[in-house]
Amino acid sequence: MAQVGQWLGLGGSIVANLFNPRLIVIGGYFASLAEWLLPHAQDQLQRLVVAAPAAQCRFVASTLGFGAASRGASMVVNRIIDDPTTIMDSLPRPTAY
């Protein structure tokens, strides 16, 4: 578990260094094992972040259940199927040169 937590912390440190999030939420099997994984992941994260604000980032376990990601994705897909024009507002517009 310690090694898996360290790898999770390595991945989290990359995310923290690139995007500087306040939280990294883990789900699925990781959330159910959070008690054993997160202390190791958090230690690794703190060791590997570069910028001071990124050091404020922390791991938390999702409380939304194992299928939260798939349920969220299906909501997005259903919304697009219901009205495909809804995604057009969020797409970047080409710029004229």
Side-chain angles (χ1 to χ4, degrees), residues 25-95:
V25 181
I26 61 166
Y29 292 113
F30 291 118
S32 60
L33 299 171
E35 178 182 349
W36 300 280
L37 292 176
L38 293 190
H40 302 288
Q42 191 66 43
D43 288 344
Q44 188 78 335
L45 176 71
Q46 296 305 315
R47 272 196 294 270
L48 297 174
V49 291
V50 178
Q56 303 301 318
C57 182
R58 63 187 176 95
F59 282 99
V60 295
S62 172
T63 59
L64 299 177
F66 188 77
S70 60
R71 284 193 306 272
S74 69
M75 289 174 57
V76 171
V77 169
N78 288 337
R79 181 176 174 195
I80 293 170
I81 290 172
D82 290 343
D83 185 6
T85 62
T86 59
I87 63 167
M88 297 307 292
D89 293 334
S90 62
L91 294 175
R93 302 284 183 221
T95 57

